Amino acid sequence: MFGSKFIQITTGLLLCVSSLPGFANDKTITILTQQDVFNDYQQFIAGRDPVTLTQYGGPGSRRDVVELVLVQQALKAGGNSYPIKIVKVDNTSDSYNRFIKEITSGSATLGGNSAWLVDLKQINDKVFISEPSIRQGEFEAGLYTTADNADARLSKTLPQIQALTAVVAESWLPDVATLEAIKFKHVLKTQSWDSMVGMLGKKRADVLLAPFQPTPDLSMQAGGRKLVPISNVKVGLQGSRHFFVSKASPIGSDVAKSLNMGLAKLREQGTIEKIYRDSGFFNSATRNWERLN
């Protein structure tokens, strides 16, 4: 049910693959990501070797995209000797849950994007959980709206913001809890990032939570629309985020060891902080913005 088709990247070529089990049965690390991340990653990498990068801003850069780079650099720094392929989940209504389930089943070796510890604890019998890439207290997000939503953009006070309608994917538990704690009058729940963006475009919702971007005005392009944050306010999400490796993979234990060794080295070198800073996730422009929670 959770997908019979992936696309793998090999020397820049896209090849259709009809069955998943082959990924887990050979000695290749398959790093799984989601459709929208895959698209932006291609734009960001632009033919470069991800393990040699030292600057992490530019077209396509955002948190999920640079995490694909981070995980590959961590494996390299940790002494990994297995070849690597990036595979993606096909479009689906709930890509986050499917992303997790493909790894627990062993269809892919490793998640290329971090997940919340609260989600991973529920499957810790099926995955190796890495050291945190984003530590407790480090995750801050903006309340993003469409550029033409004047009511949302002009909201200044907490009561004005609470009167807006927020939208969130129902499987994003920390996001749901955060929005409900802020006491929005209306919180709409949907299935995916694409549908969240679509609801903003249709004016069914006013705001969604998203990490700050490295653009001069902190804006992002999503679903053909320009999204901008409400100025001078930000939200903190509780919890830490981690990469995770399938215990069903025959090389899972080796991969987990290399990944943790590499993350420790990159943390010590300051690379993890730089990756998130260059992508706009750790954003100096919002340092003095009011935190709503």
Side-chain angles (χ1 to χ4, degrees), residues 13 135 142 145 163 188 216 223 283:
L13 300 177
R135 297 171 293 193
T145 186
L188 304 180
N283 204 303

Side-chain angles (χ1 to χ4, degrees), residues 110-132:
L110 165 67
N113 305 116
S114 65
W116 291 105
L117 183 59
V118 65
D119 296 324
L120 296 178
K121 280 183 174 180
Q122 300 177 41
I123 55 170
N124 63 4
D125 59 326
K126 298 178 180 178
V127 297
F128 299 102
I129 302 172
S130 79
E131 293 300 308

